[in-house]
Amino acid sequence: MSMNASQACHVLNITTTNGIWHSQNPLVESLPLLITQLAIVIFFARFLFFILKPLYQPLFVTDILGGVVIGPSLLGMRPYFSRLFPLTTVMTLETVAYMALDFYIFLVGLEMDITSIRRADRRELSVAAAGIVIPMSMGIGLFFLTGRLLNLTVDTGGCLFWGLTLTVTGFPVIARILSKLKLFHSDIGRMAMSTAIINDFCSWILVAILLPMRMTSPENALYAITATMAFILICICIVRPALVKIFHQTTSCIEKNNNCNNYNEYYLCFVLIGVVLCSFVTDLCGTYSVIGAFVFGIIIPNKQLRSVLIERFQDFVSGIMLPLFFAICGMRINVHAVNNWLWAGLVVILLCVCKILTTYSVCFFTDLPSRDSFALGVLMNTKGILAVVVLNIGWDKKVLHVEEYTVMVVALVIMTSIVGPTISAMYKTSTRIGKYEGRTIQRTKPNDELRILSCIHSIHNVSGMTNLLAISNATENTPLSVFALQLVELTGRASPMLIVHSPGKTSISMYGRSHSSDSNLIINAFENLETHNPVAFSVQSLTSLSPFITMHEDVCILAENKRVAFMILPFHKQAMLEDDVVLREASSDYSFHDVNMNILASAPCTVGILVDRELKHPHRRRVLRGNAIHRWPG
């Protein structure tokens, strides 16, 4: 044999096994070991979620804690447990984990409604801008302070990853926390969601621009950024119009049949292939693969298709596959590697309060109350998966070491874990409802403004509702403040949304042109009330997008926030004008019966149900409340 010959040794992993019948250990082979690892990761993540559920902890926190448990900080120190996660399987785990990450980021892009940024006011833009600039500077400074306090030899490029991590706000995590706390449609909830989506979107832009400076050589950074920007422009200007044409025929069929399950299975497979291709292209350009997955999720044109995709893949991706990514993160965290947790704890506290103080300071110069300013700061401090992705890129590029990585991940967990309990303590639902229960139509003073929440199920309810308000004898001395709320079912796992329509502007529909035209007709009909009698009427049009099962909660919370004394609901049956006037119950309207019953059971104000038989004489319309029928005055 030649002296300069080289040999390569590798571990032979076979995915088939003869079982225990040949006295073999099945866990030495790749597939049985991967299945066992996945089961262990899911068990710890879901167990911690169940234990911490009363504290309103999101899956983001429990998944990271589950990864820490199996990592070297806790169980990974035990020899018998470390054999379940040997170093030889890290490549397989990371491959599956990062593939799951790409699909999850695609789902995040699907949930993000970029058009809502155009509806943001100056205060929300100011809070979002300050929440990016100041934390970025603080993150860079605290990075070097950590190296000085812990006597670390730091890579100067790591300051960029700390700065980006501190600017990130987890929009999907905030949406789920607010939904659990029943604050989604409150004033603070709407402001937090609007600010968070601006902050999160700008964070993605910074990641796409700044990270190539560290992921590639300096001379290639410009090429990477240019190629990525060109890819994004191609997706917006070419790929999105092409998708509109491809989905047009199926979308038309769905809108006619009112069925969300008519999408061809080939379309869903085509979308998944698009996620993989876009991830590959951005990785090829020199940025990160999640950028392509996120962009492809945003450019999906049809909102109903988005709901179908989220419904089909959310549980599998985020519930089964994504915990593997957090398991990889947990294996990189080692709390024992930090030699001085006293100084590290000080850095963690500074990291946690940075964005809270920034947001509170900006809101101090506005008319926002101190309690809401502090709550908004806590919500803006919520972190999401993008923050962990940025830290993992720094680890993979060997820019962040184990001490810096561990300190920042611990800070992320603390930042996000305190959001649920803090906001719950500040905005207790039972306290808010208790203070409001005395507001009814009977207790309204004669000369006070009567605030009415008028709910609309469909275009068929508009004429009866507007005629009812028109004959209500509103005057300058006894004005009516009407909140016209259109109730639209939200399918899939997308986040509920409350859209406040500006006077004189057309609506932005979530479900295609037919719903958009109906929404515009409803808005115009109610605005005509104010146009013909501006002294007696003030009208505000809104649209609530939520599932039927939680729609009553959104309506009641809105009634509370708007200090409504009287709520009018349409009857769940529609009139058919034939030879005899009858009420028919359409299959699509049957769920509104449950919505009405739930509102009657939980509404803190007076509730009336309008039975409109579409008759010519207004005095024959009647209002039904409970089991009693009352004739409306006039």
Side-chain angles (χ1 to χ4, degrees):
M1 179 181 294
S2 176
M3 296 298 295
N4 60 357
S6 61
Q7 294 181 348
C9 299
H10 62 276
V11 179
L12 180 62
N13 286 327
I14 305 174
T15 57
T16 58
T17 176
N18 294 319
I20 61 175
W21 314 114
H22 290 270
S23 301
Q24 293 179 344
N25 182 9
L27 297 183
V28 300
E29 294 156 359
S30 60
L31 183 59
L33 183 58
L34 177 62
I35 295 174
T36 304
Q37 292 170 341
L38 183 61
I40 293 173
V41 169
I42 295 175
F43 170 77
F44 279 109
R46 291 300 173 267
F47 177 75
L48 290 173
F49 180 74
F50 177 77
I51 295 297
L52 300 177
K53 191 175 182 180
L55 299 178
Y56 303 102
Q57 296 302 310
L59 279 173
F60 173 77
V61 171
T62 56
D63 284 347
I64 292 182
L65 292 178
V68 173
V69 169
I70 65 176
S73 299
L74 289 176
L75 296 180
M77 300 174 59
R78 305 293 186 267
Y80 62 88
F81 196 86
S82 62
R83 296 191 189 99
L84 293 174
F85 294 87
L87 293 178
T88 55
T89 63
V90 171
M91 185 64 69
T92 303
L93 279 176
E94 288 189 351
T95 302
V96 179
Y98 280 97
M99 178 61 72
L101 175 65
D102 287 337
F103 284 111
Y104 178 78
I105 294 298
F106 166 71
L107 296 178
V108 171
L110 289 177
E111 291 188 42
M112 187 172 292
D113 182 19
I114 303 300
T115 58
S116 62
I117 296 178
R118 296 180 298 179
R119 299 190 293 269
D121 57 25
R122 183 177 300 178
R123 181 173 57 185
E124 294 164 354
L125 293 173
S126 301
V127 172
I132 292 174
V133 176
I134 298 178
M136 172 72 79
S137 305
M138 290 290 295
I140 293 174
L142 290 175
F143 175 80
F144 291 108
L145 178 63
T146 303
R148 179 68 62 86
L149 294 177
L150 301 182
N151 297 320
L152 303 176
T153 303
V154 298
D155 188 333
T156 56
C159 65
L160 177 64
F161 293 90
W162 269 43
L164 283 174
T165 302
L166 210 57
T167 62
V168 171
T169 296
F171 167 75
V173 181
I174 290 179
R176 283 158 180 76
I177 291 176
L178 291 174
S179 180
K180 288 181 181 179
L181 296 176
K182 313 302 181 188
L183 293 172
F184 206 94
H185 293 328
S186 63
D187 292 336
I188 186 66
R190 289 195 299 274
M191 185 176 180
M193 289 297 295
S194 181
T195 308
I197 195 172
I198 297 171
N199 193 304
D200 205 10
F201 184 70
C202 293
S203 299
W204 277 102
I205 295 176
L206 291 176
V207 169
I209 295 176
L210 296 181
L211 287 189
M213 297 180 180
R214 292 298 310 174
M215 295 177 63
T216 59
S217 58
E219 59 272 12
N220 292 331
L222 181 61
Y223 298 116
I225 296 174
T226 304
T228 303
M229 295 299 106
F231 165 77
I232 295 175
L233 290 177
I234 291 173
C235 288
I236 296 175
C237 300
I238 299 177
V239 178
R240 179 180 170 84
L243 292 176
V244 172
K245 293 182 179 180
I246 292 174
F247 297 136
H248 177 71
Q249 183 177 359
T250 304
T251 303
S252 301
C253 179
I254 289 178
E255 290 181 351
K256 291 179 181 178
N257 299 330
N258 197 21
N259 186 359
C260 295
N261 298 319
N262 283 346
Y263 280 102
N264 195 312
E265 294 294 335
Y266 292 110
Y267 283 6
L268 304 181
C269 295
F270 169 76
V271 170
L272 295 181
I273 294 173
V275 176
V276 176
L277 289 178
C278 290
S279 301
F280 171 73
V281 170
T282 50
D283 197 57
L284 196 65
C285 290
T287 55
Y288 207 57
S289 61
V290 294
I291 301 295
F294 179 73
V295 171
F296 190 70
I298 288 180
I299 65 171
I300 295 296
N302 186 272
K303 299 297 179 68
Q304 200 169 32
L305 176 60
R306 291 187 177 195
S307 299
V308 173
L309 291 170
I310 294 173
E311 180 73 23
R312 295 286 184 91
F313 303 121
Q314 181 77 29
D315 288 334
F316 176 75
V317 174
S318 63
I320 298 178
M321 301 305 297
L322 191 64
L324 279 179
F325 174 75
F326 291 103
I328 295 297
C329 300
M331 294 177 187
R332 296 173 175 178
I333 299 171
N334 189 357
V335 296
H336 307 290
V338 181
N339 52 21
N340 192 337
W341 268 108
L342 180 62
W343 291 116
L346 174 63
V347 174
V348 169
I349 293 174
L350 293 176
L351 290 170
C352 292
V353 302
C354 172
K355 205 161 191 176
I356 297 177
L357 295 179
T358 299
T359 305
Y360 186 86
S361 301
V362 174
C363 294
F364 178 78
F365 297 98
T366 65
D367 57 350
L368 196 66
S370 298
R371 186 185 71 161
D372 292 343
S373 300
F374 180 76
L376 184 62
V378 173
L379 288 168
M380 290 301 101
N381 210 30
T382 307
K383 300 303 176 184
I385 196 166
L386 179 59
V388 182
V389 169
V390 172
L391 291 178
N392 278 272
I393 295 174
W395 175 282
D396 293 334
K397 295 300 176 181
K398 303 187 185 304
V399 178
L400 295 178
H401 303 295
V402 61
E403 297 91 346
E404 301 147 8
Y405 184 90
T406 300
V407 169
M408 181 54 83
V409 173
V410 170
L412 296 183
V413 173
I414 295 176
M415 291 178 197
T416 310
S417 61
I418 64 175
V419 176
T422 303
I423 302 301
S424 175
M426 296 177 65
Y427 298 92
K428 289 183 178 179
T429 305
S430 58
T431 304
R432 292 183 287 117
I433 295 294
K435 293 180 180 179
Y436 178 77
E437 284 180 346
R439 183 176 294 276
T440 61
I441 194 172
Q442 291 87 352
R443 297 188 180 184
T444 303
K445 296 180 180 180
N447 295 329
D448 285 351
E449 178 186 53
L450 179 61
R451 303 172 73 88
I452 298 177
L453 179 61
S454 178
C455 299
I456 302 296
H457 295 164
S458 66
I459 192 66
H460 303 286
N461 309 134
V462 175
S463 61
M465 195 72 69
T466 53
N467 289 334
L468 178 65
L469 295 172
I471 62 175
S472 59
N473 197 26
T475 63
E476 182 179 359
N477 296 326
T478 57
L480 286 182
S481 180
V482 180
F483 299 94
L485 179 65
Q486 182 185 6
L487 302 177
V488 179
E489 182 190 10
L490 182 65
T491 58
R493 301 296 182 86
S495 301
M497 182 180 301
L498 180 68
I499 302 174
V500 180
H501 301 286
S502 301
K505 294 184 178 180
T506 58
S507 68
I508 301 175
S509 176
M510 294 281 289
Y511 290 97
R513 296 180 179 177
S514 61
H515 291 272
S516 180
S517 60
D518 289 349
S519 181
N520 290 329
L521 291 175
I522 294 173
I523 295 172
N524 294 333
F526 278 91
E527 287 183 352
N528 286 334
L529 286 174
E530 185 176 8
T531 303
H532 289 94
N533 195 352
V535 178
F537 284 98
S538 64
V539 178
Q540 184 178 26
S541 299
L542 310 98
T543 299
S544 176
L545 300 162
S546 57
F548 278 134
I549 193 171
T550 61
M551 190 173 287
H552 66 284
E553 298 176 353
D554 300 332
V555 173
C556 294
I557 291 173
L558 180 64
E560 174 196 349
N561 294 330
K562 298 300 183 181
R563 294 178 288 113
V564 169
F566 187 34
M567 186 190 308
I568 306 176
L569 305 176
F571 197 46
H572 65 280
K573 294 183 179 182
Q574 294 180 1
M576 285 184 61
L577 291 179
E578 296 177 349
D579 294 335
D580 297 324
V581 177
V582 296
L583 290 175
R584 66 177 178 86
E585 184 162 5
S587 58
S588 59
D589 293 337
Y590 180 73
S591 296
F592 283 112
H593 171 267
D594 298 329
V595 173
N596 289 353
M597 295 302 296
N598 291 333
I599 292 176
L600 284 171
S602 56
C605 62
T606 303
V607 180
I609 297 181
L610 173 65
V611 181
D612 180 17
R613 302 197 177 194
E614 299 187 1
L615 301 179
K616 296 181 180 180
H617 301 287
H619 67 274
R620 297 184 63 182
R621 288 192 178 90
R622 294 176 293 181
V623 177
L624 172 67
R625 188 189 186 283
N627 295 324
I629 298 178
H630 306 280
R631 292 188 183 275
W632 192 264

